[in-house]
Amino acid sequence: MSSSALSRLSNIQGHLHPLDSNSKVGEGLVKLSPEVSQALSCGHAVVALESTIISHGMPYPQNLETAKEVEAIVRENGAVPATVAILDGKPCIGLSMEELERLATLGTRAQKTARRDIAYVVATRGNGATTVSATVYFASMVGISVFVTGGIGGVHRHGENTMDISSDLTELGRTPVAVISAGVKSILDIPRTLEYLETQGVCVATYKTNEFPAFFTETSGCKATCRVDSPEECARLIDANMKLKLGTGILIAVPIPKEHSASGNLIESAIQSALREARDKNITGSAETPFLLARVNEITGGASLASNIALVKNNSLVGARIAVALAQLRE
Ligand code: PSU
Ligand code: MN
């Protein structure tokens, strides 16, 4: 890596605005697509996207269709999409259509890559689909401040005994990226997830609502402490967080659009059976979330997948508008 790239990286570690330097970001370490590279160097709006949702979160071919549609929505709303994945050991920020297709067809043969797995996947020249934690890490490294996904990981139910707490939460606690999601799935313990985010110093804001959403449904019974009502308000929040060098992330929770919200009871009973099955089959660790997602989808006869796709698209629209508002603010 060149010395300028190194100084850029150390600037980022110190949470300076990454665009303060003119060097090529992470040169040699990560591969930026030409479109993303160009957008970052001129301060254009960029939205980072994860890839575990493609490999492990949805079945083929809906995963590929959704990934393409999400990128299209981001573009239509004025931002450049940067899907992140590790291909043949190279962290890629911004994928070509062929790379997106490769990842979607690899499916679960790609390694689910959280922060702890990054070095191993790179060292073994593997193919890794990045989770929220790994994607946020790479986004921050190259100076992308806005990231969109469906839902983030959290404290698992019974996490007080198993200590199964997603590294998405600790990553948000140490990386200044805004994560746009539809809240936290009720396969998780939502109140404990919010407690944990508070401990980590993460600002949790709800978008146009007072209640923290539960992914498939608009409500979770948990009130938010901070509410934002427009992309511009989100941009000001992100900008203040960055200027203050808090170093922590922001979670912006956007409720699923009403017309797509699944029947709470249907989902809840599917979740209960999936959780029982996971316990009976002793499915734990990083395999648990993909197992639960797939089982809930099977049990609900695809209803949960349809809701999942709808909310990811909605988050992409909101995320792109936030990234555009942020780029305007920084002009
Ligand atoms: N929740 C979803 N869909 C997903 C995931 C979570 O509704 O695809 C993925 C994300 O990549 C998230 C990861 O970062 O699962 C969390 O996994 P774990 O619980 O093992 O930390
Ligand atoms: Mn876990």
Side-chain angles (χ1 to χ4, degrees), residues 49 67 116 223 300 327:
L49 300 161
R116 64 146 190 213
K223 292 273 172 287
T300 60

Side-chain angles (χ1 to χ4, degrees), residues 180-181 204-213 224 226-235 251-256 314-315 317-319 321-322:
I180 321 302
S181 91
V204 177
T206 47
Y207 191 76
K208 295 185 179 173
T209 178
N210 292 324
E211 199 167 319
F212 189 76
C226 167
R227 170 181 170 143
V228 278
D229 283 281
S230 67
E232 291 71 27
E233 274 184 44
C234 293
L251 180 62
I252 297 174
V254 181
I256 184 170
N314 183 54
N315 292 349
L317 172 89
V318 174
R321 290 183 179 159
I322 294 172

Side-chain angles (χ1 to χ4, degrees), residues 10-42:
S10 64
N11 276 353
I12 292 161
Q13 296 304 327
H15 306 307
L16 290 181
H17 191 294
L19 298 177
D20 287 347
S21 156
N22 294 321
S23 61
K24 276 206 173 158
V25 182
E27 208 174 353
L29 196 64
V30 297
K31 188 180 115 196
L32 293 174
S33 72
E35 189 190 13
V36 170
S37 176
Q38 163 75 14
L40 286 174
S41 61
C42 59

